Amino acid sequence: MLEPRFYRVGLLPVALVLVVVAFSLQEPPRSVRTTLAADAFSGSRAMASLDRLADAYPVRRPGDVADDQLAERIAGDLRGTGFAVRTSTHEGRTIEGTRDLQLVIGERTGTSSQRIVVVAHRDAAGPGSRAELSGTAALLELARVVGAPRRTSRTLMLVSTSGGSGGAAGAMALADELKGQDVAAVLVLGAVAAEELRRPLVVPWSNDVGIAPLQLRRTVETALRAETGLNGGEPRALSQTGRYAVPGTLGEQGPLVDAGLPAVLLSASGEAPPAADAPVSPARMQGMGRTVLRAITALDNGPAIRAQTTPDVVIQGKVVPAWAPRLLLGILLLPVLLALIDAFARARRNRIAIGPWLTWTVLAAVPFVVAAVVARFLGLTGLLPVAPAAPAPIATVPVSVGALVAVVLAGVLAAVAVRLPRKRVVKRAGGDPAAPGAAVGLMLVLWAVTFALWIGNPYSAALLIPALHVWLFALLPEYRPPRAWGMVLCVVLLIPALALGTWVAATFGLDPVDLAWTALLSIAGGHASPLSWLLWSVAAGAAVSGVAIAWRGRARAGDDDVEITMRGPVSYAGPGSLGGVESALRR
């Protein structure tokens, strides 16, 4: 049923596209630099401010009384340094559930309406959390340095948010506030005084398929090296593609990058907030504070940074534009499509049923869909009290065993419920998943899912493309290997997804239960879109069906032999078929 020539023809454009991708490499943009020293920032004054704030507000859960009182104090300090201050209240989903949060914005008008925005959140999950509060202390020291009577070329905005301890609700409100405004750059301050370093120190990630502009990242990294001698820790190519395949970040820059704003997080503790008892360092505060001031000075006097958030990949100092991986991954779908079109046409000519096997494959996805629907239901109805709209550190949202059990139980019950309908479909289609129509139907479903993922996120689709190519030959009867090898191929093809899950767990310090809980929260909180988890549910159902087909193993010799009981079209019945006749004998 499978004609390899169509597959080979589809591979020809791949070589051409590889050449195009090779010539698509670009030089990275240069960082914006300044020769002005950032001596005006006083680390000792910032540390004294940190001590006062930490002693006055030791517990600062998002939206509580202490958080609101701290917001009022920050607003008063900003006014005292010459900033025009406005506050607003917005509702946000946090680690405390849905809360009313205060957004404090101090603005100092420059000669240009284009804005440089500096952001720091003031809340914390644990008591004390001096390292996490150091971003706010640095923000207030910056207000003293750049406040009246100093003037900047670009308008400067200093913003205090709440909800940054998990869910980034304040950053989401700020993204709405900045909508339609001309923003040159957004610098998000994390735990700038944390003593223990965790890279990357300059975090560019988004909660969607995107990343902060490379020029902005390089500008902040250059300022960091100049003031501290530290390397910001630029992510490697594999880390970049992994982040694009599974978008998400714990930093407040995520929602801002999602909104198309050029934003990065600067934090000594990296992407995740430090522990509540993490020590702080005056030297770190001094170096990081000077870094921020130097970056602001460079951005204020330099050219505007283009707000490009497309998922480009940096490899060995060269930039691969986002369209190149998309084109390459898309063209890899072509060989499988041509082979499947031919296999489908052959099946139709031979009157082999395909439709029932499409249903059989899709029914296998029902348990995964039901589990995801239950998770989303828990988030929408409030049965899951905490469901932030963005990823949150696992320590701030304790695992709910009851919720996990409910989701798993829903999936198991759905699997039991669809077992009988699947058996009926198999019986209607001929009674054997080893039939050619089953493999063709499964591959059509898997190709459609991969194509849909490629449209939205080509890096996610890359996880399924190896399965498409290998299963094309591993599942169809004429090429299907024996059962043992077939099961090995099924396991091998799960390696990309398993490797990515292992990498995510290692990056965020998650064990298997934490990883499952994080996935549940992403669905319950709406971070993972319904379309994405629906497509991945169908892909999981196709994997289950593929294992069922591989378990049947290679067709046994003689299975397709037909016992001849009479002469007919299947055999030769012409002259001589009954042996020699006298008239045909040599005389």
Side-chain angles (χ1 to χ4, degrees):
M1 180 172 292
L2 178 64
E3 177 50 68
R5 287 178 297 179
F6 288 97
Y7 180 82
R8 290 195 294 267
V9 168
L11 288 175
L12 294 178
V14 176
L16 177 61
V17 170
L18 283 173
V19 175
V20 173
V21 171
F23 281 96
S24 71
L25 299 180
Q26 302 172 356
E27 291 293 331
R30 294 184 177 181
S31 62
V32 181
R33 301 170 183 263
T34 181
T35 58
L36 298 177
D39 297 330
F41 187 93
S42 172
S44 59
R45 197 183 341 257
M47 287 298 295
S49 176
L50 173 61
D51 292 337
R52 289 193 298 270
L53 295 178
D55 291 340
Y57 309 99
V59 178
R60 309 176 304 279
R61 299 287 287 187
D64 67 4
V65 174
D67 180 49
D68 291 341
Q69 291 175 347
L70 179 55
E72 293 177 4
R73 179 165 177 172
I74 293 171
D77 289 348
L78 292 178
R79 289 191 186 96
T81 54
F83 280 80
V85 178
R86 66 182 188 272
T87 61
S88 62
T89 302
H90 62 92
E91 189 178 82
R93 284 185 284 156
T94 71
I95 59 174
E96 285 285 298
T98 302
R99 292 290 184 270
D100 289 331
L101 307 175
Q102 299 293 323
L103 184 67
V104 181
I105 299 177
E107 190 167 80
R108 180 94 171 120
T109 304
T111 57
S112 168
S113 62
Q114 193 174 49
R115 287 165 168 77
I116 297 174
V117 185
V118 184
V119 186
H121 74 268
R122 60 186 180 270
D123 62 303
S129 298
R130 290 163 52 85
E132 196 167 354
L133 188 60
S134 62
T136 295
L139 184 80
L140 295 177
E141 175 61 16
L142 284 170
R144 184 195 67 81
V145 173
V146 299
R150 178 171 173 171
R151 300 286 288 181
T152 56
S153 298
R154 292 184 167 95
T155 296
L156 186 63
M157 290 179 63
L158 303 184
V159 183
S160 174
T161 66
S162 183
S165 54
M172 293 180 184
L174 177 60
D176 292 336
E177 183 78 22
L178 295 175
K179 196 172 295 181
Q181 300 188 26
D182 189 4
V183 178
V186 183
L187 301 179
V188 180
L189 307 184
V192 293
E195 185 175 34
E196 182 182 358
L197 286 176
R198 291 203 306 261
R199 286 182 172 81
L201 307 181
V202 180
V203 184
W205 306 119
S206 167
N207 286 322
D208 203 347
V209 189
I211 193 170
L214 181 58
Q215 188 176 23
L216 175 60
R217 292 146 51 192
R218 294 264 168 117
T219 296
V220 178
E221 288 169 355
T222 299
L224 181 66
R225 281 194 299 271
E227 295 297 340
T228 66
L230 296 172
N231 181 0
E234 185 173 283
R236 297 182 178 181
L238 282 178
S239 296
Q240 296 171 57
T241 55
R243 284 286 191 158
Y244 296 150
V246 185
T249 178
L250 301 178
E252 284 191 291
Q253 86 288 344
L256 299 167
V257 178
D258 295 349
L261 298 169
V264 293
L265 167 67
L266 177 65
S267 177
S269 67
E271 183 175 1
D277 58 351
V280 294
S281 165
R284 190 81 69 217
M285 174 70 87
Q286 176 75 11
M288 285 292 197
R290 288 171 60 101
T291 295
V292 178
L293 184 55
R294 176 180 282 269
I296 290 175
T297 304
L299 294 168
D300 185 46
N301 299 308
I305 290 178
R306 185 177 60 171
Q308 179 182 355
T309 58
T310 54
D312 300 339
V313 178
V314 180
I315 302 178
Q316 298 295 320
K318 301 292 183 180
V319 179
V320 182
W323 62 264
R326 176 178 287 276
L327 177 61
L328 177 60
L329 293 170
I331 205 67
L332 287 173
L333 296 175
L334 181 60
V336 180
L337 176 63
L338 294 179
L340 285 177
I341 290 175
D342 176 66
F344 180 77
R346 290 170 182 266
R348 295 289 293 173
R349 285 196 299 269
N350 293 326
R351 300 184 182 226
I352 297 176
I354 299 293
W357 296 112
L358 296 174
T359 305
W360 179 72
T361 303
V362 172
L363 282 175
V366 170
F368 303 99
V369 174
V370 169
V373 168
V374 170
R376 185 63 179 137
F377 176 79
L378 292 176
L380 288 174
T381 59
L383 294 175
L384 194 64
V386 178
I394 193 66
T396 63
V397 186
V399 176
S400 172
V401 177
L404 281 174
V405 170
V407 170
V408 172
L409 183 60
V412 171
L413 292 177
V416 174
V418 300
R419 185 176 180 183
L420 183 58
R422 290 192 82 208
K423 284 185 175 181
R424 289 174 179 171
V425 170
V426 171
K427 185 176 181 180
R428 188 168 67 250
D432 189 2
V440 175
L442 182 150
M443 292 302 300
L444 287 171
V445 171
L446 188 60
W447 189 94
V449 169
T450 307
F451 179 72
L453 286 172
W454 174 81
I455 292 175
N457 183 352
Y459 296 96
S460 291
L463 299 174
L464 297 181
I465 288 177
L468 274 178
H469 286 264
V470 176
W471 280 13
L472 184 66
F473 294 95
L475 297 184
L476 288 174
E478 57 265 42
Y479 295 101
R480 188 182 304 152
R483 175 185 296 176
W485 283 107
M487 298 305 295
V488 168
L489 288 175
C490 287
V491 172
V492 167
L493 293 174
L494 295 176
I495 288 179
L498 293 175
L500 183 60
T502 302
W503 175 80
V504 170
T507 300
F508 295 105
L510 307 176
D511 59 31
V513 175
D514 291 339
L515 188 61
W517 176 240
T518 300
L520 189 152
L521 283 179
S522 69
I523 297 174
H527 169 53
S529 68
L531 180 59
S532 65
W533 49 256
L534 178 62
L535 290 174
W536 279 110
S537 295
V538 177
V544 170
S545 300
V547 170
I549 294 175
W551 182 256
R552 304 291 295 180
R554 177 182 292 170
R556 296 187 301 273
D559 281 356
D560 295 326
D561 294 344
V562 179
E563 181 182 359
I564 301 174
T565 58
M566 61 178 294
R567 296 289 176 178
V570 296
S571 61
Y572 177 70
S577 63
L578 299 179
V581 296
E582 186 175 352
S583 61
L585 298 177
R586 186 188 297 262
R587 295 188 180 182

